[in-house]
Amino acid sequence: MEFRYEHFDGSLFENINREKMKQLFLELLLKTSGNAEMALKYLKRLFDQHNLEQALGMSFAEFREWLKEQQLLEQDRQTGALAATQRADREIQKAAFEEIFQDLGSDTFGDHPGRTAGRGGDKLAETRRYAFGDEIVDIDFTSSIGNAVRRSGVDDDFRMDEDDLETHQREQLTSCATVILIDISHSMILYGEDRITPAKKVAMALIEYIQQRYPKDSIDVALFGDEAVEVPAAEVARVSVGPFHTNTKAGLQLAQRLLLRRKAVNKQVFMITDGKPSAITEQGELYKNPFGLDPKIVTQTINEATQLRRKGITITTFMITTDPHLQDFVDRMTKANKGRAYYASLDNLGSFIFADYAKNKKKRV
């Protein structure tokens, strides 16, 4: 096992204030999967090591009380333990959104594509005959006058009729349903590398983005390890990795069920994973093989991806690994689904996901 150590920059605490400490507390909450007691323990250690009581002008106990006043902490009436509130979860989601979007231009994102042109989206170059109820601002006067000239000429009898009018078409705004599949197998924290925290940040940022800009869209979140389970989008910050294998097939099956209950025109799966499929469920029992790519597991997983394609559901896989054998599997699954695959590092995962989400909405189907 290898560990990478870096020099700690103590100047980070020179201009510390309560708001910065609050953000640090939220970051620790995310890394501890919502364990407030553990996050406070780490924060107390920083207080003591860097004499933050003097810098903040308040003791750690006073800062903890301030977090309660901010409604980020609450005390369990039965156990007396401190717990993170729903407001804390919401603050973590907003922070994830701001962190990932700070280097992304929001103007690059478009609207949903549709199979037919309609009102409400970007104006297209193509035109069609004017129909009652069309917006005046969409009329193409150059084409309309040309139609009138060709019909009646340019003499004193020149006039423009309603049949001469042409209007620009627009992209139709359609609803979109998305399921984010997050791998919670043990490999997501293996070898001293935290992969689950960036995955959660990206998921929360995408949730925040959709809720802000496309409130009529739906987004569901599912986790897959030995089995697949749905989790509320508001609780992604509390997700943790377990001693699980990677049952990708179960994740795809659950994603299909979640999407088929949605009435949206466009349906898609975003899957974040770092490992090969190593398990499937057969007759209620877990068949697992963590060594290599088991042909039985691979075949059934790819068959499941094919089933999603037949239902019109696209899979976009974000593979945070560089293993050639795993990339070969992802390529096969992507071809079977006619989807997309990205081999992303942890620091550019957010850019890949948001660029793909925007591209899906920009193109015309």
Side-chain angles (χ1 to χ4, degrees), residues 163-178:
D163 290 340
D164 297 324
L165 296 176
E166 289 191 24
T167 182
H168 283 284
Q169 300 186 75
R170 285 184 177 269
E171 291 180 324
Q172 185 179 13
L173 299 178
T174 59
S175 59
C176 182
T178 302

Side-chain angles (χ1 to χ4, degrees), residues 136-166:
I136 300 298
V137 294
D138 289 338
I139 292 177
D140 181 353
F141 286 100
T142 301
S143 299
S144 301
I145 293 173
N147 292 338
V149 170
R150 284 190 292 272
R151 181 183 55 78
S152 63
V154 292
D155 53 23
D156 294 338
D157 293 331
F158 172 81
R159 67 182 186 278
M160 181 179 292
D161 294 336
E162 183 176 332
D163 290 340
D164 297 324
L165 296 176
E166 289 191 24

Side-chain angles (χ1 to χ4, degrees), residues 87-153:
R87 179 169 181 174
D89 293 337
R90 179 72 176 150
E91 290 276 350
I92 293 172
Q93 180 169 300
K94 287 183 177 180
F97 173 80
E98 292 170 359
E99 177 182 337
I100 290 176
F101 261 75
Q102 64 183 355
D103 296 324
L104 298 178
S106 58
D107 292 340
T108 62
F109 300 107
D111 297 313
H112 297 308
R115 297 185 180 277
T116 58
R119 304 182 184 89
D122 293 335
K123 186 183 292 185
L124 304 176
E126 294 87 347
T127 60
R128 58 173 172 78
R129 179 170 293 183
Y130 176 84
F132 178 76
D134 285 336
E135 297 289 341
I136 300 298
V137 294
D138 289 338
I139 292 177
D140 181 353
F141 286 100
T142 301
S143 299
S144 301
I145 293 173
N147 292 338
V149 170
R150 284 190 292 272
R151 181 183 55 78
S152 63

Side-chain angles (χ1 to χ4, degrees), residues 5-10:
Y5 295 92
E6 296 181 357
H7 175 70
F8 177 76
D9 185 1

